């Protein structure tokens, strides 16, 4: 039986970070030689649309380039149109769709390298709903072949939570994700033309990003006397730098990074979303009304349409042991991410590590002193470096010193 070093479930921005880190650490060939099998549920990269949202990024554009080695396999992509755009706007937030364009170029590069390497394979249309654990990890490829590996990285992302309030169950409801991707524009316009009023449920950064999108795309349908609403069950948290925090009162519910002094770095509204919140509070944007309540009183609105922005939950595959009994993966109390060992990044079952099974990305984020560490700069940075080091610790593969980039990758006509 051929036992690979690693299987990766989910080929998105976070999983991409493993290859970025391996290249940055000059261990890419070693990483590939160890044997990698990737399962991705979409049919091809043509259908890949991760991060293709028409909202501002959470971070300045330069942070999406920070992990790339200047003389590595991705370096020439920095000279692409998408790469130059991010570099030019390095200190500004940009539309996430622009970030998605650049990440997709990087994904094509990895796909080409995987295809050229005899020890690696990328399985498209491979939805892993269940995997088995004994001494190794066993998944089924689309052709029914059993694939076995010593290590596992789960990077399947998160799914938007469903609203549970029965009082709005019969109302037209959409997810903020669908809205931000621009795929329901026609529906929203039709509702607005017929006198419906949007109600955004959720006061997080995502909720205010959704409100900003609504104003940018459909602002002409709203006015001071005809606003739309955002409901939050708790007071709005703002992300503040240490300097800003000196001038704004901090509550016990705010999360302060003891090293940097930043407040609510990962749990507060920031950048454009924060600017919108402040304009509303200061009375400079009256087309949006904020309601602090855990009960959506839609009866005050004649014809409401609900936009859900209440957060996400992780979507790990079902895991069973050799006796086909389920192994449940622990979640954080918030339910927004799985629980991981803070040192090894291994997934946990009933408080104990699931040996050699790791998680990364949205829904599998590391925990810091100021909350869940979320962002491509984390997934492509220390998180990925730690994982690559751990994954290669047992492989101990020797790589021929005369290997060059050109031996596995032709840069012409690739994308």
């Amino acid at each position: 039986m051929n036992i690979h070093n690693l299987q990766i479930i989910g080929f998105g921005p976070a999983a991409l970070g493993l290859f970025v880190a391996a290249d940055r650490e000059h261990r890419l060939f070693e990483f590939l030689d160890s044997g990698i099998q990737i399962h991705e549920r979409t049919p091809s990269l043509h259908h890949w649309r991760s991060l293709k949202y028409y909202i501002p990024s959470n971070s300045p554009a330069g942070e999406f380039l920070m992990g790339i080695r200047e003389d590595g396999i991705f370096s020439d992509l920095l000279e692409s149109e998408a790469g130059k755009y991010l570099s030019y706007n390095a200190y500004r937030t940009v539309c996430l769709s622009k970030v998605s364009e650049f990440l997709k170029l990087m994904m094509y590069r990895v796909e080409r390298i995987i295809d050229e390497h005899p020890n690696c394979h990328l399985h498209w249309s491979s939805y892993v709903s269940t995997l088995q654990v004994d001494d190794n990890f066993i998944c089924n490829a689309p052709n029914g072949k059993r694939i076995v590996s010593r290590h596992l990285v789960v990077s399947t992302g998160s799914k938007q939570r469903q609203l549970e309030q029965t009082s709005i169950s019969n109302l037209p409801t959409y997810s903020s994700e669908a809205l931000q991707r621009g795929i329901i524009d026609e529906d929203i316009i039709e509702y607005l033309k017929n006198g419906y009023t949007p109600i955004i449920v959720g006061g997080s950064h995502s909720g205010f990003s959704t409100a900003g999108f609504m104003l940018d795309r459909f602002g002409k349908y709203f006015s001071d006397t005809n606003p739309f609403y955002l409901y939050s069950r708790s007071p709005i948290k703002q992300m503040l730098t240490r300097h800003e925090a000196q001038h704004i009162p901090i509550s016990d519910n705010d999360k302060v990074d003891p090293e940097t002094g930043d407040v609510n770095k990962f749990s507060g509204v920031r950048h454009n979303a924060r600017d919108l919140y402040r304009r509303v509070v200061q009375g400079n944007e009256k087309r949006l009304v904020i309601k602090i309540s855990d009960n959506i009183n839609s009866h005050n609105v004649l014809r409401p349409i609900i936009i859900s922005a209440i957060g996400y939950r992780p979507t790990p595959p079902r895991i069973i042991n050799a006796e086909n009994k389920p192994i449940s993966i622990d979640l954080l109390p918030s339910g927004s991410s799985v629980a991981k060992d803070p040192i090894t990044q291994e997934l946990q079952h009933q408080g104990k590590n699931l040996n050699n099974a790791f998680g990364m990305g949205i829904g599998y984020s590391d925990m810091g002193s100021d909350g869940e560490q979320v962002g491509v700069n984390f997934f492509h940075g220390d998180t990925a470096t730690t994982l690559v080091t751990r994954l290669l610790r047992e492989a101990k593969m020797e790589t021929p010193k005369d290997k060059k980039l050109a031996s596995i990758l032709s840069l012409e006509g690739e994308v």
Side-chain angles (χ1 to χ4, degrees):
M1 179 186 297
N2 187 18
I3 300 179
H4 304 275
N5 184 44
L6 171 66
Q7 289 188 80
I8 303 172
I9 313 298
F11 187 45
L16 173 63
L18 294 173
F19 297 90
V20 174
D23 183 52
R24 186 173 59 246
E25 299 298 313
H26 298 270
R27 303 188 73 180
L28 178 62
F29 298 126
E30 184 183 355
F31 189 48
L32 297 168
D33 288 346
S34 71
I36 302 171
Q37 300 284 309
I38 305 175
H39 302 268
E40 169 54 37
R41 64 188 302 173
T42 56
S44 69
L45 264 178
H46 175 73
H47 298 86
W48 189 85
R49 58 191 184 98
S50 183
L51 289 187
K52 194 173 183 180
Y53 298 97
Y54 296 96
I55 59 172
S57 58
N58 292 348
S59 306
E63 292 195 8
F64 296 97
L65 308 176
M66 289 175 58
I68 298 175
R69 181 160 66 96
E70 292 184 357
D71 60 345
I73 64 163
F74 302 108
S75 58
D76 63 303
L77 299 181
L78 297 173
E79 299 302 316
S80 67
E81 182 178 346
K84 288 180 178 178
Y85 179 85
L86 296 185
S87 296
Y88 180 78
N89 294 284
Y91 300 102
R92 294 188 286 264
T93 60
V94 297
C95 183
L96 273 179
S97 63
K98 292 293 186 181
V99 177
S100 180
E101 288 178 18
F102 182 74
L103 292 179
K104 195 167 187 176
L105 294 180
M106 297 178 70
M107 303 287 278
Y108 273 114
R109 178 62 49 82
V110 172
E111 180 188 38
R112 181 67 178 272
I113 292 172
I114 291 290
D115 286 346
E116 294 285 339
H117 201 288
N119 293 359
C120 304
H121 192 78
L122 204 169
H123 304 272
W124 294 106
S125 299
S126 182
Y127 173 57
V128 179
S129 60
T130 303
L131 63 91
Q132 191 172 48
V133 180
D134 48 25
D135 292 331
N136 298 296
F137 300 94
I138 304 170
C139 297
N140 290 323
N143 60 7
K145 182 180 178 181
R146 284 160 55 93
I147 301 176
V148 183
S149 64
R150 292 182 293 272
H151 299 89
L152 175 75
V153 170
V154 183
S155 183
T156 52
S158 293
K159 184 178 181 180
Q160 196 155 35
R161 296 176 187 269
Q162 298 295 315
L163 284 169
E164 298 179 354
Q165 292 195 36
T166 57
S167 61
I168 61 172
S169 59
N170 295 324
L171 300 177
T173 301
Y174 292 91
S175 69
S176 60
E177 178 176 356
L179 183 75
Q180 293 168 6
R181 288 189 182 277
I183 60 180
I184 57 171
D185 283 9
E186 292 183 2
D187 290 1
I188 297 299
I189 290 174
E190 189 65 24
Y191 277 115
L192 294 175
K193 285 182 176 179
N194 285 282
Y196 280 76
T197 299
I199 296 177
I200 298 171
V201 183
S204 66
H205 179 85
S206 178
F208 279 91
S209 294
T210 302
F213 180 95
M214 190 73 72
L215 288 170
D216 289 342
R217 288 268 175 126
F218 315 113
K220 68 179 182 180
Y221 294 98
F222 309 115
S223 66
D224 295 3
T225 57
N226 182 39
F228 66 104
Y229 298 85
L230 183 147
Y231 273 75
S232 176
R233 64 182 181 183
S234 58
I236 309 302
K237 290 185 176 181
Q238 300 183 67
M239 189 277 280
L240 304 170
T241 65
R242 179 174 59 183
H243 175 72
E244 291 172 325
Q246 294 174 355
H247 307 283
I248 297 178
I250 304 300
S251 72
D252 293 338
N253 293 324
D254 290 316
K255 295 181 179 179
V256 181
D257 187 322
E259 295 181 2
T260 66
D262 293 340
V263 179
N264 301 326
K265 184 175 182 179
F266 301 101
S267 58
V269 293
R270 49 206 174 274
H271 298 300
N272 300 60
R274 187 182 69 172
D275 291 344
L276 174 57
Y277 166 70
R278 290 180 174 180
R279 293 202 309 272
V280 173
V281 171
Q282 294 165 1
N284 297 323
E285 177 54 84
K286 297 182 179 180
R287 293 175 295 174
L288 173 64
V289 175
I290 300 171
K291 298 281 190 180
I292 307 299
S293 173
D294 59 0
N295 182 33
I296 305 169
N297 187 10
S298 59
H299 300 292
N300 289 338
V301 177
L302 183 60
R303 309 183 80 181
I305 175 175
I306 306 299
I307 308 295
S308 174
I310 58 172
Y312 292 80
R313 58 176 179 82
T315 56
R318 179 173 175 262
I319 301 178
I320 57 176
N321 62 17
E323 290 76 37
N324 292 325
K325 294 182 179 179
I327 299 175
S328 59
I329 300 301
D330 296 345
L331 299 178
L332 294 178
S334 66
S336 61
S337 185
V338 303
K340 300 194 304 183
D341 183 290
I343 304 299
T344 68
Q345 298 186 29
E346 287 171 307
L347 304 178
Q348 296 187 317
H349 165 64
Q350 296 181 353
K352 297 181 179 180
N353 289 7
L354 189 59
N355 292 334
N356 295 325
F358 308 93
M360 66 182 305
I362 299 294
Y364 305 86
S365 54
D366 296 346
M367 282 298 295
S369 57
D370 54 347
E372 298 171 27
Q373 314 287 291
V374 178
V376 170
N377 54 325
F378 286 99
F379 305 151
H380 290 194
D382 291 343
T383 296
T385 300
T386 301
L387 264 182
V388 168
T389 302
R390 174 69 184 267
L391 291 168
L392 291 177
R393 185 175 298 160
E394 298 175 6
K396 296 180 180 178
M397 302 287 293
E398 288 191 8
T399 303
K401 294 181 180 180
D402 60 348
K403 275 194 174 182
K404 305 295 183 182
L405 288 177
S407 68
I408 62 169
L409 179 62
S410 171
L411 300 181
E412 296 183 0
E414 184 178 330
V415 177

